Amino acid sequence: MQLKTLQEIIKKKENKSEFAIVTNLATGNSEIFEKGKSLSKDFEKFTDQINTFYQSKKNGIIEGTDIFVEIYIRPIKVIIVGAVHIAQYLVNFASSLNFEISVIDPRGYFATEQRFPNMKIINKWPDEAFKEIETDSNTALIALTHDPKIDDPALQHAIKKKFYYIGALGSKKTHENRCERLKKAGFSDKEIKQIHGPIGIKLGGRAAPEIALSIIAQLVSETYKK
Amino acid sequence: MKNSFDEKILEEANDWIKTNQKVVLATVIQTWGSSPRQTGSRMIVNEKGDFSGSVSGGCVESAVVRECVAIIKEKKLFKKIEFKVSNESAWEVGLACGGEIAVYLEQIN
C-alpha cells in the first residue's frame, strides 16, 4: 500500500466517511472506493462486484478474482445526556469501539472540556442541542442525569426519531415515574417499553465505572441485534 | 448491524512511518472454519520485528512477524501466506482452534 493511500484512509476515517479499500492481491495495488466514484483500470471491471460487497458491508475476496475488499462504515452516533462521572468512564470504555459520541449537558460546570477532552460537548438543553446533531434510527441515546427536566426531552426526541437504543439511568422507582410522565405526554406503552430502564445489563456493581461497563455492554449487545 | 471495532492500526502505522520505521501491514483476507479473528483484522510489523494488533488469537503472530521482517529485508512489496490447522508434531505455528486463515502482507511504500 502506498503511504499516500494510507494517509487518505486515515483522513476519511477522521471525517466519518463511508468507503472501501480495494486491493489487487496479485499486483499489490490498492485504492479507495467510494460510492459513485470511478475506479482505476486495475479495478474498473470489478466495479459491480465491489458494489455488492459495499452494499452488504462485508469484507472479503471477490470469488474467482484476486480482489480483496474491505469496508469502512460510519461509526454509530451515541448521544450521552448528562456529563456526569459515569459519562467519563463511558467515554473511556467506548474509545476503542466504533462509536461517535456527543455529550449534552446544559449545566456548564459539568460539560467542560477539561472533564471531556477531545469530545463533542454541547452545553445546551437537549431540545436545542438536537438541532445541531442529525439523528435517526442508527442513533443511540444514553440518558444519565435522572433529572426529568434534562432527560425527558431527550427521551422524547429519541422515541420520536426511533433511535435503536434508548437507555435511562435511575432506580426502578425513578423509571416508573419516568414512564408515567411519558404516558401523560402522549407516548404509547410500546414506545415507552423501548427504553432500557434501569439502564445496563446486570453486573452487580454500583460504582461509576461498573455502571458505565454495564451500559456499554448493553449498547454493544443491542447494536449487534439490529 | 456491523459495528466493527476500530483498533486504529492504520493510524499507528502512520505514526511508525513518521519515526522512519519500515512498516508491513498484515491483513486477514480469508478465513475457513473457526478462525479467531475476522476478515479485515490487522497487525503491523516493523523491520526490528516489533508488532501491534493481531491476525489470530496469538497462534500465528510469531510466524507473521518473521515473514514481515523477511519481506522488508528482501525488499518485496507484498506476499500472501496461509496457515492451516496445527498438528501436534508441528506445534510451533498453526491454529489450535482448527481454523484456517490467509494473511496478506504488504509493505507501506
Side-chain angles (χ1 to χ4, degrees):
Chain A
M1 182 186 284
Q2 290 186 344
L3 179 59
K4 189 180 81 182
T5 311
L6 177 84
Q7 288 170 341
E8 209 181 319
I9 294 165
I10 294 170
K11 213 169 165 190
K12 287 202 180 304
K13 283 177 71 185
E14 276 171 13
N15 295 337
K16 323 281 181 206
S17 310
E18 284 199 338
F19 60 96
I21 308 169
V22 288
T23 306
N24 187 327
L25 304 172
T27 65
N29 288 348
S30 57
E31 65 183 61
I32 292 173
F33 166 84
E34 280 177 294
K35 219 184 160 191
K37 283 195 185 164
S38 55
L39 288 157
S40 74
K41 267 196 181 151
D42 223 22
F43 299 98
E44 213 175 16
K45 59 180 177 205
F46 305 109
T47 304
D48 286 349
Q49 289 117 303
I50 293 170
N51 253 314
T52 310
F53 269 77
Y54 189 77
Q55 302 289 353
S56 64
K57 298 188 162 127
K58 259 190 197 156
N59 298 331
I61 297 172
I62 299 172
E63 220 186 314
T65 73
D66 284 311
I67 307 296
F68 176 66
V69 186
E70 192 193 353
I71 311 292
Y72 279 81
I73 58 164
R74 190 174 294 133
I76 287 171
K77 273 185 201 159
V78 178
I79 295 160
I80 300 176
V81 173
V84 296
H85 196 189
I86 295 170
Q88 291 177 292
Y89 286 105
L90 266 177
V91 167
N92 277 340
F93 287 143
S95 63
S96 55
L97 300 167
N98 201 16
F99 292 128
E100 181 190 353
I101 300 180
S102 308
V103 181
I104 297 175
D105 201 318
R107 303 166 298 183
Y109 53 98
F110 273 110
T112 64
E113 217 186 301
Q114 198 246 340
R115 285 165 57 80
F116 293 90
N118 308 318
M119 186 92 335
K120 186 172 182 184
I121 311 168
I122 307 176
N123 193 202
K124 289 180 180 166
W125 290 88
D127 282 339
E128 286 300 310
F130 279 120
K131 287 179 189 161
E132 291 175 23
I133 315 169
E134 217 174 290
T135 58
D136 55 30
S137 58
N138 279 326
T139 312
L141 172 75
I142 298 170
L144 296 178
T145 73
H146 60 50
D147 178 343
K149 286 198 301 298
I150 305 172
D151 280 356
D152 283 15
L155 292 167
Q156 293 190 11
H157 177 92
I159 295 172
K160 282 182 201 152
K161 286 289 187 98
K162 299 188 172 14
F163 283 20
Y164 80 95
Y165 175 80
I166 308 173
L169 186 79
S171 66
K172 276 186 185 153
K173 186 74 198 146
T174 304
H175 190 61
E176 273 170 29
N177 294 339
R178 176 185 292 134
C179 293
E180 275 307 310
R181 288 194 305 275
L182 288 168
K183 215 170 175 175
K184 274 187 193 152
F187 290 93
S188 71
D189 285 342
K190 200 182 155 202
E191 286 174 321
I192 295 168
K193 266 204 184 129
Q194 293 167 35
I195 302 173
H196 294 267
I199 196 170
I201 62 163
K202 275 206 174 102
L203 284 182
R206 298 190 70 173
E210 292 169 331
I211 295 170
L213 184 61
S214 90
I215 296 170
I216 278 289
Q218 191 171 52
L219 176 65
V220 171
S221 159
E222 292 300 316
T223 303
Y224 279 105
K225 274 187 204 162
K226 264 176 74 74
Chain B
M1 178 192 276
K2 177 182 178 277
N3 185 48
S4 57
F5 275 40
D6 183 7
E7 291 165 345
K8 304 228 168 16
I9 295 293
L10 298 179
E11 287 81 348
E12 203 175 347
N14 196 31
D15 291 341
W16 285 17
I17 289 163
K18 278 184 199 155
T19 56
N20 294 319
Q21 301 176 60
K22 289 198 165 68
V23 178
V24 176
L25 196 61
T27 309
V28 177
I29 51 167
Q30 227 168 351
T31 67
W32 299 266
S34 57
S35 60
R37 297 229 49 201
Q38 296 169 346
T39 305
S41 301
R42 283 213 161 100
M43 65 186 261
I44 49 172
V45 182
N46 71 9
E47 68 270 33
K48 287 189 293 183
D50 300 320
F51 72 100
S52 181
S54 69
V55 293
S56 73
C59 324
V60 300
E61 271 75 4
S62 62
V64 171
V65 168
R66 272 203 302 276
E67 292 279 354
C68 288
V69 172
I71 74 165
I72 293 173
K73 270 199 191 131
E74 293 159 15
K75 295 195 165 54
K76 265 197 195 167
L77 282 178
F78 63 95
K79 186 179 185 178
K80 189 176 143 186
I81 44 175
E82 284 182 21
F83 296 98
K84 304 208 162 157
V85 188
S86 63
N87 64 51
E88 280 171 45
S89 58
W91 51 268
E92 196 202 351
V93 170
L95 294 155
C97 48
E100 293 182 30
I101 61 169
V103 180
Y104 183 71
L105 315 179
E106 56 186 322
Q107 217 178 137
I108 309 288
N109 62 321

